[in-house]
Coordinates of all heavy atoms in Angstrom, one line a residue:
S1 N 39.0 7.6 21.4 CA 37.7 7.6 22.1 C 37.7 8.4 23.4 O 36.7 8.6 24.0 CB 37.3 6.2 22.4 OG 38.2 5.6 23.3
G2 N 38.9 8.7 23.9 CA 39.0 9.4 25.2 C 39.0 8.5 26.4 O 39.0 9.0 27.5
D3 N 39.1 7.2 26.2 CA 39.1 6.3 27.3 C 40.5 6.2 27.9 O 41.5 6.4 27.2 CB 38.7 4.9 26.8 CG 37.2 4.8 26.5 OD1 36.4 5.6 27.1 OD2 36.8 4.0 25.7
L4 N 40.5 6.0 29.2 CA 41.7 5.8 29.9 C 42.6 4.7 29.4 O 42.0 3.6 29.3 CB 41.4 5.7 31.4 CG 42.6 5.6 32.4 CD1 43.3 6.9 32.4 CD2 42.0 5.2 33.8
V5 N 43.8 4.9 29.2 CA 44.8 3.9 28.7 C 45.7 3.4 29.9 O 45.9 2.3 30.1 CB 45.6 4.3 27.5 CG1 46.6 3.3 27.2 CG2 44.7 4.6 26.4
L6 N 46.2 4.4 30.6 CA 47.1 4.1 31.7 C 47.0 5.1 32.8 O 46.8 6.3 32.6 CB 48.6 4.1 31.2 CG 49.7 3.9 32.2 CD1 49.7 2.5 32.7 CD2 51.0 4.3 31.6
V7 N 47.0 4.6 34.0 CA 47.0 5.4 35.2 C 48.0 4.8 36.2 O 48.1 3.6 36.3 CB 45.6 5.6 35.9 CG1 45.1 4.3 36.4 CG2 45.6 6.7 36.9
H8 N 48.7 5.7 36.9 CA 49.7 5.3 37.9 C 49.5 6.2 39.1 O 49.6 7.4 39.0 CB 51.1 5.4 37.4 CG 52.1 5.0 38.4 ND1 52.4 3.7 38.7 CD2 52.9 5.7 39.2 CE1 53.3 3.6 39.6 NE2 53.6 4.9 40.0
K9 N 49.3 5.5 40.2 CA 49.1 6.3 41.5 C 50.3 5.9 42.4 O 50.6 4.7 42.6 CB 47.8 5.9 42.2 CG 47.6 6.7 43.5 CD 46.3 6.3 44.2 CE 46.5 5.2 45.2 NZ 47.5 5.5 46.2
M10 N 51.0 6.9 42.8 CA 52.1 6.7 43.7 C 51.6 6.2 45.1 O 50.5 6.6 45.5 CB 53.0 7.9 43.9 CG 53.7 8.3 42.6 SD 54.6 9.9 42.8 CE 55.6 9.6 44.1
D11 N 52.4 5.4 45.8 CA 52.1 5.0 47.1 C 51.9 6.2 48.0 O 52.6 7.2 47.8 CB 53.2 4.1 47.7 CG 53.4 2.8 47.0 OD1 52.4 2.4 46.3 OD2 54.4 2.2 47.2
Q12 N 50.9 6.2 48.8 CA 50.6 7.3 49.8 C 50.0 8.5 49.1 O 49.7 9.5 49.8 CB 51.8 7.7 50.6 CG 52.6 6.6 51.3 CD 51.7 5.8 52.2 OE1 50.9 6.4 53.0 NE2 51.8 4.5 52.1
A13 N 49.7 8.5 47.8 CA 49.0 9.6 47.2 C 47.6 9.5 47.5 O 47.0 8.4 47.6 CB 49.2 9.6 45.7
Q14 N 46.9 10.6 47.7 CA 45.5 10.6 48.0 C 44.7 10.1 46.8 O 45.0 10.3 45.6 CB 45.0 12.0 48.4 CG 45.2 13.0 47.3 CD 44.9 14.4 47.8 OE1 44.5 14.6 49.0 NE2 45.0 15.4 47.0
Y15 N 43.7 9.3 47.1 CA 42.9 8.7 46.0 C 42.2 9.7 45.2 O 41.9 9.5 44.0 CB 41.9 7.7 46.6 CG 42.6 6.4 47.1 CD1 42.9 6.2 48.4 CD2 43.0 5.5 46.2 CE1 43.5 5.1 48.9 CE2 43.7 4.3 46.6 CZ 44.0 4.2 48.0 OH 44.6 3.1 48.4
G16 N 41.8 10.8 45.7 CA 41.1 11.9 44.9 C 41.9 12.4 43.8 O 41.4 12.9 42.8
S17 N 43.3 12.4 43.9 CA 44.1 12.9 42.9 C 44.0 12.1 41.6 O 44.2 12.7 40.5 CB 45.6 12.9 43.3 OG 45.8 13.8 44.4
T18 N 43.6 10.8 41.7 CA 43.4 10.0 40.4 C 42.3 10.6 39.6 O 42.4 10.8 38.4 CB 43.1 8.6 40.8 OG1 44.2 8.1 41.6 CG2 43.0 7.7 39.6
D19 N 41.2 10.9 40.3 CA 40.0 11.5 39.5 C 40.4 12.8 39.0 O 39.9 13.2 37.8 CB 38.8 11.6 40.5 CG 38.2 10.2 40.8 OD1 38.4 9.3 40.1 OD2 37.6 10.1 41.9
V20 N 41.1 13.6 39.7 CA 41.5 15.0 39.2 C 42.4 14.9 38.0 O 42.2 15.5 37.0 CB 42.2 15.8 40.3 CG1 42.7 17.1 39.8 CG2 41.2 16.1 41.5
A21 N 43.4 14.0 38.0 CA 44.3 13.8 36.9 C 43.5 13.3 35.7 O 43.7 13.8 34.6 CB 45.4 12.8 37.3
I22 N 42.6 12.4 35.9 CA 41.8 11.9 34.7 C 40.9 13.1 34.1 O 40.9 13.2 32.9 CB 40.9 10.7 35.2 CG1 41.7 9.5 35.5 CG2 39.8 10.4 34.1 CD1 41.0 8.4 36.2
G23 N 40.4 13.9 35.0 CA 39.6 15.1 34.5 C 40.5 16.0 33.8 O 40.1 16.6 32.7
K24 N 41.7 16.2 34.2 CA 42.7 17.1 33.5 C 43.0 16.5 32.2 O 43.1 17.3 31.2 CB 43.9 17.3 34.3 CG 43.8 18.1 35.6 CD 45.1 18.2 36.3 CE 45.0 19.0 37.6 NZ 46.4 19.1 38.3
A25 N 43.2 15.2 32.1 CA 43.6 14.6 30.8 C 42.4 14.7 29.8 O 42.6 15.0 28.6 CB 44.0 13.1 31.0
K26 N 41.2 14.5 30.3 CA 40.1 14.6 29.4 C 39.9 16.1 28.9 O 39.6 16.3 27.7 CB 38.8 14.2 30.1 CG 38.7 12.7 30.3 CD 37.4 12.4 31.0 CE 37.2 10.9 31.2 NZ 36.0 10.5 31.9
T27 N 40.1 17.0 29.8 CA 40.0 18.4 29.4 C 41.1 18.8 28.3 O 40.8 19.4 27.3 CB 40.2 19.3 30.6 OG1 39.1 19.1 31.5 CG2 40.2 20.8 30.2
A28 N 42.3 18.4 28.6 CA 43.4 18.7 27.7 C 43.2 18.1 26.3 O 43.4 18.7 25.3 CB 44.7 18.2 28.2
S29 N 42.7 16.8 26.3 CA 42.5 16.2 25.0 C 41.2 16.7 24.3 O 41.2 17.0 23.1 CB 42.4 14.7 25.1 OG 41.3 14.3 25.9
R30 N 40.2 16.9 25.0 CA 38.9 17.3 24.3 C 38.9 18.8 23.9 O 38.3 19.2 22.9 CB 37.7 17.1 25.3 CG 37.5 15.6 25.5 CD 36.4 15.3 26.4 NE 36.3 13.9 26.6 CZ 35.5 13.3 27.5 NH1 34.9 14.0 28.4 NH2 35.5 12.0 27.5
F31 N 39.7 19.6 24.6 CA 39.7 21.1 24.3 C 41.0 21.4 23.5 O 41.2 22.6 23.1 CB 39.6 21.9 25.5 CG 38.2 21.9 26.1 CD1 37.8 21.0 27.0 CD2 37.3 22.9 25.7 CE1 36.6 21.0 27.6 CE2 36.0 22.9 26.2 CZ 35.6 21.9 27.1
R32 N 41.9 20.4 23.3 CA 43.1 20.6 22.5 C 44.0 21.7 23.0 O 44.7 22.4 22.2 CB 42.7 20.9 21.0 CG 41.9 19.8 20.3 CD 41.5 20.2 18.9 NE 42.6 20.7 18.1 CZ 43.4 19.9 17.3 NH1 43.2 18.6 17.2 NH2 44.4 20.4 16.6
R33 N 44.1 21.8 24.3 CA 45.0 22.8 24.9 C 45.3 22.4 26.3 O 44.5 21.6 27.0 CB 44.4 24.2 24.8 CG 43.0 24.3 25.5 CD 42.4 25.7 25.3 NE 42.4 26.2 24.0 CZ 41.5 26.0 23.0 NH1 40.5 25.2 23.3 NH2 41.6 26.5 21.9
P34 N 46.4 22.9 26.8 CA 46.7 22.6 28.2 C 45.7 23.1 29.2 O 45.1 24.2 28.9 CB 48.1 23.3 28.4 CG 48.6 23.5 27.1 CD 47.4 23.7 26.2
T35 N 45.5 22.5 30.3 CA 44.6 22.9 31.3 C 45.0 24.2 31.9 O 44.1 25.0 32.5 CB 44.3 21.9 32.4 OG1 45.6 21.5 33.0 CG2 43.7 20.6 31.8
S36 N 46.3 24.6 31.8 CA 46.7 25.9 32.3 C 46.1 27.0 31.6 O 45.8 28.1 32.1 CB 48.2 26.0 32.3 OG 48.7 25.9 30.9
V37 N 45.8 26.8 30.3 CA 45.0 27.8 29.5 C 43.6 28.0 30.0 O 43.1 29.1 30.2 CB 45.0 27.4 28.0 CG1 44.1 28.3 27.2 CG2 46.4 27.4 27.4
M38 N 43.0 26.9 30.4 CA 41.6 27.0 31.0 C 41.7 27.7 32.3 O 40.8 28.5 32.6 CB 41.1 25.6 31.2 CG 41.0 24.7 29.9 SD 40.0 25.6 28.6 CE 38.8 24.4 28.3
A39 N 42.7 27.4 33.1 CA 42.8 28.1 34.4 C 43.0 29.6 34.2 O 42.4 30.4 34.9 CB 44.0 27.6 35.2
A40 N 43.8 30.0 33.2 CA 44.0 31.4 32.9 C 42.7 32.1 32.4 O 42.4 33.2 32.8 CB 45.1 31.6 31.9
V41 N 42.0 31.4 31.6 CA 40.7 32.0 31.1 C 39.7 32.2 32.3 O 39.1 33.2 32.4 CB 40.1 31.0 30.0 CG1 38.7 31.4 29.7 CG2 41.0 31.1 28.8
V42 N 39.6 31.2 33.2 CA 38.7 31.3 34.3 C 39.2 32.5 35.2 O 38.4 33.3 35.7 CB 38.6 30.0 35.1 CG1 37.9 30.2 36.4 CG2 37.9 29.0 34.2
K43 N 40.5 32.5 35.5 CA 41.0 33.6 36.3 C 40.7 35.0 35.7 O 40.6 36.0 36.5 CB 42.5 33.5 36.5 CG 42.9 32.4 37.5 CD 44.4 32.3 37.7 CE 44.7 31.1 38.6 NZ 46.2 30.9 38.7
A44 N 40.7 35.1 34.4 CA 40.4 36.3 33.7 C 38.9 36.6 33.8 O 38.4 37.7 33.4 CB 40.8 36.3 32.3
G45 N 38.1 35.7 34.3 CA 36.6 36.0 34.5 C 35.7 35.3 33.5 O 34.5 35.5 33.6
T46 N 36.2 34.5 32.6 CA 35.3 33.8 31.6 C 35.1 32.4 32.2 O 36.0 31.6 32.3 CB 36.0 33.7 30.2 OG1 36.3 35.0 29.8 CG2 35.1 33.0 29.3
L47 N 33.8 32.1 32.5 CA 33.5 30.9 33.2 C 32.9 29.8 32.2 O 32.6 28.7 32.6 CB 32.5 31.1 34.3 CG 33.0 32.0 35.4 CD1 31.9 32.2 36.5 CD2 34.3 31.5 36.1
N48 N 32.8 30.1 30.9 CA 32.2 29.2 30.0 C 32.9 27.9 30.0 O 32.2 26.8 29.9 CB 32.3 29.8 28.6 CG 31.4 31.0 28.4 OD1 30.5 31.3 29.3 ND2 31.6 31.8 27.4
S49 N 34.2 27.8 30.1 CA 34.9 26.5 30.0 C 34.5 25.6 31.2 O 34.3 24.4 31.0 CB 36.4 26.7 30.0 OG 36.9 27.4 31.1
I50 N 34.4 26.1 32.4 CA 34.0 25.2 33.5 C 32.6 24.8 33.4 O 32.2 23.8 34.0 CB 34.4 25.8 34.9 CG1 33.7 27.1 35.1 CG2 35.9 25.9 35.0 CD1 33.9 27.6 36.6
F51 N 31.7 25.6 32.8 CA 30.3 25.2 32.6 C 30.2 24.0 31.7 O 29.3 23.2 31.8 CB 29.5 26.3 32.1 CG 29.3 27.5 33.0 CD1 29.3 28.8 32.6 CD2 29.2 27.3 34.4 CE1 29.1 29.8 33.4 CE2 29.0 28.3 35.3 CZ 29.0 29.6 34.8
S52 N 31.3 23.8 30.9 CA 31.3 22.6 30.0 C 31.9 21.4 30.6 O 32.0 20.4 30.0 CB 32.0 23.0 28.7 OG 33.4 23.2 29.0
G53 N 32.3 21.5 31.9 CA 32.9 20.4 32.6 C 34.4 20.4 32.5 O 35.1 19.4 32.9
A54 N 35.0 21.4 32.0 CA 36.5 21.5 31.9 C 37.1 21.6 33.2 O 36.6 22.3 34.1 CB 36.9 22.6 30.9
M55 N 38.3 21.0 33.4 CA 39.1 21.2 34.6 C 40.0 22.4 34.4 O 40.9 22.4 33.5 CB 40.0 20.0 34.9 CG 39.2 18.8 35.4 SD 38.9 19.2 37.1 CE 39.4 17.7 37.9
A56 N 39.8 23.4 35.1 CA 40.6 24.7 35.0 C 41.7 24.7 36.0 O 41.8 25.6 36.8 CB 39.7 25.9 35.1
I57 N 42.6 23.7 36.0 CA 43.7 23.5 36.9 C 44.9 23.1 36.2 O 44.8 22.1 35.4 CB 43.4 22.5 38.1 CG1 42.0 22.8 38.8 CG2 44.5 22.4 39.1 CD1 41.5 21.7 39.7
E58 N 46.0 23.7 36.3 CA 47.2 23.3 35.6 C 47.6 21.9 35.9 O 47.4 21.4 37.0 CB 48.4 24.3 36.0 CG 49.6 24.0 35.2 CD 50.7 25.1 35.5 OE1 50.5 26.0 36.3 OE2 51.8 24.9 34.9
G59 N 48.1 21.2 34.9 CA 48.6 19.8 35.1 C 48.2 18.9 34.0 O 48.5 17.7 34.0
G60 N 47.4 19.3 33.0 CA 47.0 18.5 31.9 C 47.5 19.0 30.6 O 47.5 20.2 30.3
E61 N 48.1 18.1 29.8 CA 48.7 18.5 28.5 C 48.2 17.6 27.4 O 48.3 16.4 27.5 CB 50.3 18.4 28.6 CG 50.9 19.3 29.6 CD 50.9 20.8 29.1 OE1 51.0 21.0 27.9 OE2 50.8 21.7 30.0
P62 N 47.8 18.2 26.3 CA 47.3 17.3 25.2 C 48.6 16.7 24.4 O 49.6 17.4 24.4 CB 46.6 18.2 24.3 CG 47.2 19.6 24.5 CD 47.6 19.6 26.0
I63 N 48.4 15.6 23.9 CA 49.5 15.0 23.0 C 49.0 15.2 21.6 O 48.0 14.7 21.2 CB 49.7 13.5 23.3 CG1 50.1 13.3 24.7 CG2 50.7 12.9 22.3 CD1 50.1 11.8 25.1
I64 N 49.7 16.1 20.9 CA 49.3 16.4 19.5 C 50.4 15.9 18.5 O 51.5 16.3 18.7 CB 49.0 17.9 19.3 CG1 47.9 18.4 20.3 CG2 48.7 18.3 17.9 CD1 47.7 19.9 20.4
Q65 N 50.0 15.1 17.6 CA 50.9 14.6 16.6 C 50.3 14.9 15.2 O 49.2 14.5 14.9 CB 51.1 13.1 16.8 CG 51.7 12.8 18.1 CD 51.8 11.3 18.4 OE1 50.8 10.6 18.1 NE2 52.9 10.8 18.9
N66 N 51.1 15.5 14.4 CA 50.6 15.9 13.0 C 49.3 16.6 13.0 O 48.4 16.4 12.2 CB 50.5 14.6 12.1 CG 51.9 13.9 12.0 OD1 52.9 14.5 11.8 ND2 51.8 12.6 12.0
G67 N 49.2 17.5 14.0 CA 48.0 18.3 14.1 C 46.8 17.6 14.7 O 45.7 18.2 14.8
L68 N 46.9 16.4 15.1 CA 45.8 15.6 15.7 C 46.1 15.3 17.1 O 47.2 14.9 17.5 CB 45.6 14.3 14.9 CG 45.2 14.4 13.4 CD1 45.2 13.0 12.8 CD2 43.9 15.1 13.2
V69 N 45.0 15.4 17.9 CA 45.2 15.0 19.4 C 45.1 13.5 19.4 O 44.2 12.9 19.0 CB 44.0 15.6 20.2 CG1 44.1 15.1 21.6 CG2 44.1 17.1 20.2
T70 N 46.2 12.9 20.0 CA 46.3 11.5 20.1 C 46.2 11.0 21.5 O 46.2 9.8 21.8 CB 47.6 10.9 19.4 OG1 48.7 11.5 20.1 CG2 47.6 11.2 18.0
G71 N 46.1 11.9 22.4 CA 45.9 11.6 23.8 C 46.2 12.8 24.7 O 46.3 13.9 24.2
A72 N 46.5 12.5 26.0 CA 46.8 13.6 26.9 C 47.6 13.0 28.1 O 47.5 11.8 28.4 CB 45.6 14.3 27.4
I73 N 48.4 13.8 28.7 CA 49.1 13.4 29.9 C 48.6 14.4 31.0 O 48.6 15.6 30.8 CB 50.6 13.5 29.7 CG1 51.1 12.5 28.7 CG2 51.3 13.4 31.1 CD1 52.5 12.6 28.4
A74 N 48.3 13.9 32.2 CA 47.9 14.7 33.3 C 48.5 14.3 34.6 O 48.7 13.1 34.8 CB 46.4 14.8 33.4
V75 N 48.7 15.2 35.5 CA 49.3 14.9 36.8 C 48.5 15.7 37.9 O 48.1 16.8 37.6 CB 50.8 15.4 36.8 CG1 51.4 15.2 38.2 CG2 51.6 14.8 35.7
S76 N 48.3 15.0 39.0 CA 47.7 15.7 40.1 C 48.3 15.2 41.4 O 48.8 14.0 41.5 CB 46.2 15.3 40.1 OG 45.5 15.9 41.2
G77 N 48.3 16.0 42.4 CA 48.8 15.6 43.7 C 49.8 16.6 44.3 O 50.0 16.7 45.5
G78 N 50.4 17.5 43.5 CA 51.2 18.5 43.9 C 50.5 19.9 43.8 O 49.3 19.9 43.7
T79 N 51.3 20.9 43.8 CA 50.6 22.2 43.5 C 50.3 22.3 42.1 O 50.9 21.5 41.3 CB 51.6 23.4 43.9 OG1 52.7 23.3 43.0 CG2 52.1 23.3 45.3
P80 N 49.4 23.2 41.6 CA 49.2 23.3 40.2 C 50.5 23.5 39.4 O 50.6 22.9 38.3 CB 48.2 24.5 40.1 CG 47.5 24.4 41.4 CD 48.5 24.0 42.4
T81 N 51.4 24.3 39.9 CA 52.6 24.6 39.1 C 53.5 23.3 39.1 O 54.0 23.0 38.0 CB 53.4 25.7 39.8 OG1 52.6 26.9 39.8 CG2 54.7 26.0 39.1
E82 N 53.6 22.6 40.2 CA 54.3 21.3 40.1 C 53.7 20.3 39.2 O 54.4 19.6 38.4 CB 54.4 20.7 41.6 CG 55.2 21.5 42.5 CD 55.0 21.1 44.0 OE1 54.0 20.4 44.3 OE2 55.9 21.4 44.8
D83 N 52.4 20.2 39.3 CA 51.7 19.3 38.4 C 51.9 19.6 36.9 O 52.2 18.7 36.1 CB 50.2 19.3 38.6 CG 49.8 18.7 39.9 OD1 50.6 18.0 40.6 OD2 48.6 18.8 40.3
G84 N 51.9 20.9 36.6 CA 52.1 21.4 35.2 C 53.6 21.0 34.8 O 53.8 20.6 33.7
D85 N 54.5 21.3 35.7 CA 55.9 21.0 35.3 C 56.2 19.5 35.0 O 56.8 19.2 34.1 CB 56.9 21.4 36.5 CG 57.0 23.0 36.6 OD1 56.6 23.7 35.7 OD2 57.4 23.4 37.7
V86 N 55.6 18.7 35.9 CA 55.7 17.2 35.7 C 55.0 16.8 34.4 O 55.6 16.0 33.6 CB 55.2 16.4 36.9 CG1 55.2 14.9 36.7 CG2 56.1 16.8 38.1
A87 N 53.8 17.3 34.1 CA 53.1 16.9 32.9 C 53.9 17.3 31.7 O 54.0 16.6 30.7 CB 51.7 17.5 32.9
R88 N 54.4 18.5 31.7 CA 55.2 19.0 30.5 C 56.5 18.2 30.3 O 56.9 17.9 29.2 CB 55.5 20.5 30.6 CG 54.3 21.4 30.3 CD 54.7 22.8 30.3 NE 55.0 23.3 31.7 CZ 54.1 23.7 32.6 NH1 52.8 23.6 32.3 NH2 54.5 24.1 33.8
A89 N 57.1 17.8 31.4 CA 58.3 16.9 31.3 C 58.0 15.6 30.8 O 58.7 15.0 29.9 CB 59.0 16.8 32.7
A90 N 56.8 15.0 31.2 CA 56.4 13.7 30.7 C 56.1 13.9 29.2 O 56.4 13.0 28.4 CB 55.2 13.2 31.5
L91 N 55.4 14.9 28.8 CA 55.1 15.2 27.4 C 56.3 15.3 26.6 O 56.4 14.7 25.5 CB 54.2 16.4 27.3 CG 53.8 16.8 25.9 CD1 52.9 15.7 25.3 CD2 53.0 18.1 25.9
A92 N 57.3 16.0 27.1 CA 58.6 16.1 26.3 C 59.3 14.7 26.2 O 59.8 14.4 25.1 CB 59.5 17.0 27.1
A93 N 59.2 13.9 27.2 CA 59.8 12.5 27.1 C 59.0 11.7 26.1 O 59.6 10.9 25.3 CB 59.7 11.9 28.5
V94 N 57.7 11.8 26.1 CA 56.9 11.0 25.1 C 57.2 11.5 23.7 O 57.3 10.7 22.7 CB 55.4 11.2 25.4 CG1 54.5 10.7 24.3 CG2 55.0 10.4 26.7
A95 N 57.4 12.8 23.5 CA 57.7 13.4 22.2 C 59.0 12.9 21.6 O 59.1 12.7 20.4 CB 57.7 14.9 22.2
K96 N 59.9 12.6 22.5 CA 61.2 12.1 22.1 C 61.2 10.6 21.7 O 62.0 10.1 20.9 CB 62.3 12.3 23.2 CG 62.7 13.7 23.4 CD 63.7 13.8 24.4 CE 64.1 15.3 24.7 NZ 65.1 15.4 25.7
A97 N 60.2 9.9 22.2 CA 60.1 8.4 22.0 C 59.6 8.1 20.6 O 59.0 8.8 19.9 CB 59.2 7.8 23.1

């Protein structure tokens, strides 16, 4: 359904990062691709994705199992590259479980 299942905010993290992470997760799951792809498309000049409400910031990764999106992992609070690295590491850990 796309509803939030789990969120974790580190102590001292800004509260706005929670909303950004949720937006990244929704984008990754609904568009079936990492948010870094959306960021690259926007940087290339195509704005259609952000008009649809997509978050075009690295840090969201879809969880795809047997060709189906079963969720997403997203991170916010660092640089876009850091957020992407952490989200991919978390996705790799989930894939092993």
Side-chain angles (χ1 to χ4, degrees):
S1 67
D3 289 331
L4 181 64
V5 174
L6 175 71
V7 65
H8 178 80
K9 186 184 90 54
M10 292 176 56
D11 293 341
Q12 307 304 314
Q14 60 188 359
Y15 287 101
S17 291
T18 302
D19 291 335
V20 173
I22 292 168
K24 289 179 183 183
K26 287 181 178 180
T27 297
S29 64
R30 292 177 180 168
F31 288 90
R32 301 177 49 92
R33 58 187 43 89
T35 56
S36 60
V37 171
M38 302 304 237
V41 168
V42 170
K43 284 180 185 175
T46 302
L47 300 178
N48 294 345
S49 60
I50 59 171
F51 293 142
S52 65
M55 284 285 229
I57 307 168
E58 185 173 359
E61 297 287 328
I63 301 170
I64 301 175
Q65 298 172 317
N66 299 320
L68 299 173
V69 175
T70 58
I73 293 175
V75 177
S76 180
T79 66
T81 301
E82 292 168 340
D83 290 351
D85 289 345
V86 173
R88 284 186 292 278
L91 181 61
V94 168
K96 289 181 182 180

